[in-house]
Amino acid sequence: MDSVADDLLRRLFEKAVEVADPMKSLAAFLPEKPAGRVVVIGAGKASARMAEAVEASWGPCEGLVITRYGYARPCEGIEIVEAAHPIPDEIGLSATERMLDLLAGVGEGDFVLALISGGASALLTAPAGEITLAEKQEVNQKLLVSGAAIGQMNVVRKHLSRVKGGQLAAAAYPAKMLALLMSDVPGDNPAEIGSGPTVGDASTPEDVKAILDQWKIDVPASVREVLSGQTGVLVPEDRKLSRVTNTVFAAPSQSLDAAKELAEEEGCEVEILGDAIEGEAREVAHEHAELALRRQRERPAGSRPLILLSGGELTVTRRGDGIGGPNAEYALALALALKGGGGIHAIACDTDGVDGAAEVAGAVIGPETLAKAAAAGLSQEKALDNNDAHSFFGVLGDQVVTGPTLTNVNDFRAIWIG
């Protein structure tokens, strides 16, 4: 890997993560601490860091926040519970029930601060009707490997839950609530962040059935029973949501803008392709490879390097049994599509530090990637067919491993064109 290009790409990713750190970005959106009882609740991969930021401004607070294993932060008053993600577990279920009990005790004069980030869909676990945790886990797993877009997954999750689709906010009514949201969804729609526990939704059980049919997802009888009637999801106009204010305080666009500023300081030209790109990872990679090669052909000799930035949330339709994730699969498919073309390098990472099925943020590629693979006896085509991109880049030493970043503003991709 070209050391100059590799170093800059990694620094761009680090800048994108840094600017979204709640300790740097959240305080500006906090009001003065209200008088009277204040309760802090939350869920998501960044929620413990958000709680830490709240107490840095407000001092110790009463509350309960659920985050992913390994993502806890020190708080003086707010209890931090670690639970499983992306498949929910018993600890998440128990903590969610306790959160609902806590909200049952608030009244009209109280103030509730909700801290929601990506990952809340799995960490806030309270199955509707007679659905068991095991059945909820089964449906969640099928959704994750189906190829369904995140928005579709969240519609299903809302109607099978007692906390999503505005139901968590309704549990606090008539207390006043401020929900601070960190976006990890294309378009930054508050109703889709963490499956919208504080936001109403106009979708219906019929919409859920259509999604399940589209992706051929078979569900247990308990799920069909819940979908046969009216679920607990609230429409946006419901009076129980009238005392809630939802504010997105950190979003992918801010991280891309910060990366753009750094790249320009380093003497590069920058083109932002968008912060809400969705689609199958390998298909988007092919499109981006064609664009990068076209931009390279168009540029006069001696031009400054051009960097293509993009964000969003890509998906993978699982066909094999390898270890992969959308960002690593994008990087592998991009390397294949570029065919070793000179002067093009790229990075693709998840800003939360976890890409799909591995504790790896993503990967970097360059003109030598395919040659390195051949020298190592690896077949990039087989790795792609088996959804085994993380193993592929692990052998090459081209993984990006960050550990918990304590933030989550979705995918970050940068293509360096020399």
Side-chain angles (χ1 to χ4, degrees):
M1 177 69 71
D2 178 275
S3 60
V4 174
D6 179 44
D7 176 70
L8 179 56
L9 290 171
R10 290 175 183 268
R11 286 192 291 120
L12 294 180
F13 172 58
E14 291 166 0
K15 174 59 72 172
V17 170
E18 177 190 349
V19 75
D21 184 347
M23 292 297 286
K24 298 179 181 295
S25 56
L26 185 141
F29 294 84
L30 277 177
E32 291 292 323
K33 187 176 183 181
R37 188 182 183 195
V38 174
V39 175
V40 179
I41 59 170
K45 297 177 188 176
S47 61
R49 183 67 159 179
M50 294 162 73
E52 183 182 16
V54 169
E55 289 200 337
S57 293
W58 282 0
C61 296
E62 174 188 3
L64 172 63
V65 163
I66 310 170
T67 194
R68 190 179 192 266
Y69 289 120
Y71 284 59
R73 296 297 298 167
C75 288
E76 295 184 61
I78 302 168
E79 179 185 358
I80 306 297
V81 176
E82 293 179 299
H85 178 279
I87 306 300
D89 65 0
E90 289 282 357
I91 293 179
L93 175 63
S94 173
T96 303
E97 295 290 355
R98 289 172 51 212
M99 187 179 294
L100 289 172
D101 289 342
L102 179 61
L103 292 179
V106 301
E108 187 170 1
D110 299 329
F111 182 89
V112 178
L113 177 66
L115 308 173
I116 306 297
S117 72
S121 291
L123 296 164
L124 279 175
T125 304
E130 300 300 318
I131 301 172
T132 66
L133 176 61
E135 290 170 335
K136 188 73 177 288
Q137 291 170 330
E138 174 190 345
V139 173
N140 212 43
Q141 181 62 48
K142 289 178 177 178
L143 281 169
L144 288 170
V145 301
S146 67
I150 186 65
Q152 290 182 309
M153 292 187 201
N154 285 346
V155 169
V156 176
R157 290 164 170 164
K158 290 177 186 183
H159 288 272
L160 305 184
S161 170
R162 290 185 286 115
V163 289
K164 300 175 176 69
Q167 296 179 81
L168 187 68
Y173 183 82
K176 184 178 181 180
M177 175 182 282
L178 169 63
L180 294 181
L181 314 171
M182 175 175 285
S183 175
D184 71 329
V185 298
D188 306 329
N189 182 355
E192 293 187 12
I193 301 169
S195 298
T198 61
V199 187
D201 193 285
S203 65
T204 67
E206 293 303 316
D207 295 325
V208 177
K209 294 176 188 176
I211 293 169
L212 296 174
D213 289 344
Q214 177 186 351
W215 297 102
K216 299 179 174 57
I217 298 174
D218 186 37
V219 295
S222 60
V223 171
R224 293 195 296 272
E225 177 63 26
V226 166
L227 296 177
S228 68
Q230 182 64 43
T231 66
V233 173
L234 285 77
V235 296
E237 300 78 21
D238 194 291
R239 66 181 179 85
K240 290 186 177 181
L241 300 177
S242 62
R243 293 179 61 79
V244 181
T245 300
N246 289 287
T247 300
V248 176
F249 77 93
S253 60
Q254 297 164 353
S255 289
L256 290 184
D257 288 343
K260 177 178 184 289
E261 182 177 347
L262 174 58
E264 290 174 340
E265 289 174 358
E266 296 289 334
C268 298
E269 295 181 36
V270 180
E271 181 179 346
I272 295 181
L273 305 181
D275 64 355
I277 295 174
E278 297 181 272
E280 190 75 22
R282 62 184 69 189
E283 295 174 4
V284 175
H286 188 79
E287 294 170 4
H288 285 186
E290 290 183 341
L291 176 62
L293 291 168
R294 186 164 64 249
R295 289 287 188 270
Q296 189 180 53
R297 290 192 300 269
E298 294 168 349
R299 296 177 66 72
S303 296
R304 292 183 294 160
L306 171 67
I307 291 182
L308 306 179
L309 295 176
S310 65
E313 185 157 14
L314 305 183
T315 54
V316 171
T317 301
R318 192 166 178 82
R319 300 173 177 87
D321 60 359
I323 302 173
N327 288 283
E329 184 148 315
Y330 168 92
L332 178 55
L334 185 69
L336 273 168
L338 290 171
K339 300 176 181 177
I344 299 180
H345 304 254
I347 188 169
C349 293
D350 197 315
T351 54
D352 65 12
V354 179
D355 179 41
E359 301 296 310
V360 179
V364 289
I365 66 161
E368 75 288 354
T369 296
L370 301 187
K372 286 173 62 177
L378 297 177
S379 167
Q380 51 270 17
E381 291 88 356
K382 287 183 179 178
L384 191 60
D385 289 343
N386 198 36
N387 302 119
D388 202 23
H390 280 309
S391 299
F392 177 89
F393 287 113
V395 172
L396 297 188
D398 289 335
Q399 292 178 324
V400 178
V401 181
T402 63
T405 64
L406 308 176
T407 191
N408 187 11
V409 287
N410 227 324
D411 298 341
F412 174 86
R413 294 175 294 273
I415 302 174
W416 188 95
I417 304 169

